[in-house]
Amino acid sequence: MPLVTSPAPTFDCQAVVSGEIKKLTWKELHDGKWLVLFFYPLDFTFVCPTEIIAFSDAADRFNELNAKVAAVSVDSAFSHLAWTQMPRNKGGLGKVSFPIIADLNKSIAKQYDVLLEGAGIALRGLFLIDPSGTVRHATINDLPVGRSVDEAIRVIEAFQFVEKHGEVCPANWSPGKDTMKPDPVGSQEYFSKANA
C-alpha cells in the first residue's frame, strides 16, 4: 500500500537536537504541524551535507508555513553529533536547526520503504506529513542527486492553498498563480485562460 494518503508510520527515536543527543517521541517530532521528514544515506559524505545545510538554512521559511523538518540516516546519534561539530567548510554540518535522527537498526527506513537492503543505507526519501499525521507527498531519489528545498516548500504551500480555498493546483503552480475549481464546469475557466 502506498504511503501517500496513509497515516505516517510513527516511531520514537534518538536524535541530535540543538547539539545534544536526546530521545524524541513521535508526538514531540510531529506535534500537529506539517513535518518534512527526509532520509539521507550516510554522515560524512558528499551530497548529504548540502541537503541538510540547505534545509537547515531554510528554517524560517518552514516556520512561516507551520512546518517542522527532521532528517534521518542509519548512522548513530554519536556520528550525527560529531558531524555537527565539524565546520561546514570542511564538509561538516555546523549548527543544524532541526533533529537529525539515528536509525541504527534501520527500522524507520524500512517503515518508510526507503532502505536499500544490500547496501544497508536509505535512499533520499522525502515525506510531507500534514498536521493530522497523513502522508501527503513522497519523493525518492537515487543516491547521487539531492532534493530541492524550494520544491518541498512549494508543495506544502500548494496543499495548504487547497485546504484553505478548496481549489486544486495545476502543474508548476506556485503562490500567486492560477488555480482551478475541481469540477468539469468550474475547471473550464482555468483551461480557457491557460490554453488561450
Side-chain angles (χ1 to χ4, degrees), residues 13-34:
C13 61
Q14 192 175 49
V16 171
V17 182
S18 301
E20 294 180 34
I21 296 174
K22 296 184 176 180
K23 289 193 175 186
L24 287 178
T25 65
W26 176 255
K27 188 173 170 40
E28 290 169 313
L29 196 59
H30 179 263
D31 59 359
K33 295 183 177 188
W34 281 84

Side-chain angles (χ1 to χ4, degrees), residues 105-157:
N105 66 7
K106 303 171 178 56
S107 62
I108 304 169
K110 284 179 188 171
Q111 285 180 283
Y112 280 83
D113 200 23
V114 294
L115 184 66
L116 274 176
E117 292 281 353
I121 58 175
L123 291 164
R124 296 186 192 282
L126 182 143
F127 301 87
L128 301 181
I129 301 164
D130 72 14
S132 74
T134 301
V135 178
R136 301 295 297 275
H137 171 83
T139 60
I140 301 173
N141 289 9
D142 198 352
L143 304 177
V145 177
R147 275 93 26 122
S148 166
V149 170
D150 291 336
E151 177 63 3
I153 288 171
R154 185 193 76 83
V155 175
I156 293 171
E157 289 171 332

Side-chain angles (χ1 to χ4, degrees), residues 77-91:
F78 299 103
S79 177
H80 293 340
L81 183 62
W83 203 22
T84 64
Q85 294 169 345
M86 185 176 171
R88 288 181 174 187
N89 64 0
K90 302 287 187 191

